[in-house]
Amino acid sequence: MLEFIRQPWPWYVAGALIGLTVPALLLLGNKHFGISSSLRHICAACLPANIPFFKYNWRREMWNLFFVAGVLLGGLVATQLLSNPDPIQVAPATIAALESHNVVVDSNLMPSSIFSFENLFSLKGLIFFVLGGFLVGFGTRYAGGCTSGHAIMGLSTLQWPSLVATCCFMTGGFAMVHVFFPFIMKLF
Amino acid sequence: MSTQHISTTEEFVTNPLVAEHPIECEAPNDQLTRETTITSNIKYLIVGLLFGIVFVKAEIISWYRIQEMFRLHSFHMYGVIGTAVVVGMISVWLIKKFKIRTIQGEEVVFHKKDFHWGNIIGASMFGLGWAITGACPGPLFAQIGSGFLVVIVTLLSAIAGTWTYGLLRDRLPH
């Protein structure tokens, strides 16, 4: 059984479980699935700075912070107790493409040539952590949701603005990988 | 965005917390029954924990999986998101059809989202960030839990990004 759980889970198992988060949150307490709001609640709790957008009762939305704390713990549990002993399998075409941009494909979930503390105070760190993170935080809030709030919850409730947002998430991602990424990787 | 249904209920008057509902929140708390900080919220921590395990076990938190998705080299991420949407859609349909209530016995509340330009501009910006960090907000937390501690910097920067949006909100096209 444990052997079975330790293997990487197929897309239909993961997709179904993630989809079930929608009714689970709705029925447990009328909560809408959306993770990027947690970032806003953190701002409201820690540094509201008299900005109207952060002046609300964040304590009422505390459930969202418990949820993301759970996600973090889930990462810990899955990695410490249920991790896959085999190296990650990456599509050969992706490996070839990444290697042509000098990204070494190693066995872990994240490439250590990018996501390591050594790169923190370098141009690589500035782009991959600081700029990347900023775009995620600014973009999701401006968009009014992220993959969970728009792509999953929004599409589940048949909202067309969420379909627009989801298409734009994908467009931005394609543009980064195919247009900007080759230039960015030439900087190092 | 749409909190008016709440203001029409009596709870609006009796429950002062409802009045302070955040504007334009995609994941609002619509429960009318009061919640205690720890005991009521622990169930969301458990749902989050299971969710985080799925993120790691299906390798959704992997930067490589995001690269594969945007290079169209793998079906995996499309399968995950597609299945999640279908399961979510069926669940919502069933809840509406059979008027299933929450465990507190409340009617499940749905919100209509209104279009604004952020759905295009902000969403495209997030797409750019998603492809470099290899993470949307959920996986950021799971990556940190998985031991990629440098992602704490990405998370702090994402919080700064959200804060900056709050600061500039009135000057941005909506």
Side-chain angles (χ1 to χ4, degrees), chain A residues 8-43:
Chain A
W9 296 0
W11 56 265
Y12 44 89
V13 174
L17 290 171
I18 292 171
L20 286 174
T21 312
V22 171
L25 292 176
L26 285 173
L27 297 179
L28 279 175
N30 244 330
K31 307 291 188 282
H32 281 231
F33 183 34
I35 296 179
S36 59
S37 353
S38 63
L39 303 176
R40 183 182 175 192
H41 304 328
I42 293 169
C43 290

Side-chain angles (χ1 to χ4, degrees), chain A residues 30-118:
Chain A
N30 244 330
K31 307 291 188 282
H32 281 231
F33 183 34
I35 296 179
S36 59
S37 353
S38 63
L39 303 176
R40 183 182 175 192
H41 304 328
I42 293 169
C43 290
C46 301
L47 202 69
N50 235 355
I51 298 169
F53 192 64
F54 301 121
K55 281 166 82 180
Y56 59 91
N57 185 2
W58 58 271
R59 282 186 183 81
R60 184 174 157 78
E61 310 299 324
M62 191 94 98
W63 75 273
N64 206 298
L65 299 174
F66 276 79
F67 184 78
V68 294
V71 174
L72 195 145
L73 287 175
L76 185 74
V77 170
T79 305
Q80 297 301 318
L81 306 175
L82 309 168
S83 78
N84 177 17
D86 302 319
I88 187 169
Q89 299 290 314
V90 182
T94 300
I95 295 180
L98 289 175
E99 281 178 351
S100 74
H101 298 305
N102 295 321
V103 180
V104 183
V105 177
D106 42 20
S107 57
N108 222 327
L109 290 170
M110 310 276 281
S112 54
S113 61
I114 297 173
F115 294 92
S116 64
F117 276 104
E118 290 152 42

